[in-house]
Each structure stands twice: as C-alpha cells, then as structure tokens.
Amino acid sequence: DFSQFDEGEINFAYCTEFIVGRDPACETDPLALRSALEAIGDCVVVVDDEEIIKVHVHTEEPGTALQAGLRFGQLLSVKVENMKE
C-alpha cells in the first residue's frame, strides 16, 4: 500500500547505478571508489572484476558519484532514479 510509504525514511533521494569499463592503466583499488561513495551516500555496493566495476549508491549527489567512477574508466551504463518521486 503506497499510502503507508513514509518519504521521511529516505535519507538520500537518488538511487544511482552505473557500470564502469575499467581502464587497464588505472591501478587505483576500487575500494577507494567505495570509500568516496560512502562519504556522499548510503546503501553502497561496489562489485568489480578485471573488466568492469558495477556500482549502486543512494546519494544527493549523483554527479559526484559518476565523477568518482570516471576515475576508473569509461561509463558503460548509467541509471539515476529519484526515490522520493
């Protein structure tokens, strides 16, 4: 029942998900990306392998999250949803 949904429980409006194609020249550990995202949001998930990094974060700053991801390579896909709407 959507009438019982409490918007006040949402700390950060934007559910931001993206996939980065890893730049082989980038030697920075993806844990640094996780730390940067935890500083601007919650519900952070960072999963990586040799080719990609998949990211999920709830934040008020989706652009900042994307910029952090760009330090690791090119964005392959991006999805930003306003959870308060």
Side-chain angles (χ1 to χ4, degrees), residues 8-84:
E9 294 177 11
I10 298 175
N11 295 322
F12 300 98
Y14 299 101
C15 177
T16 306
E17 299 175 335
F18 57 93
I19 298 175
V20 176
R22 294 184 78 159
D23 178 351
C26 178
E27 296 181 7
T28 305
D29 190 315
L31 286 175
L33 178 56
R34 174 186 291 280
S35 295
L37 297 173
E38 287 174 342
I40 62 165
D42 64 9
C43 298
V44 176
V45 178
V46 177
V47 179
D48 68 288
D49 64 19
E50 298 79 30
E51 297 180 9
I52 66 167
I53 303 171
K54 188 168 184 180
V55 174
H56 173 271
V57 60
H58 296 172
T59 182
E60 289 296 320
E61 304 174 34
T64 301
L66 296 174
Q67 284 296 126
L70 282 168
R71 295 194 318 248
F72 293 83
Q74 294 186 356
L75 297 174
L76 302 179
S77 68
V78 175
K79 182 174 89 173
V80 178
E81 294 185 54
N82 185 333
M83 297 184 295
K84 291 187 177 183

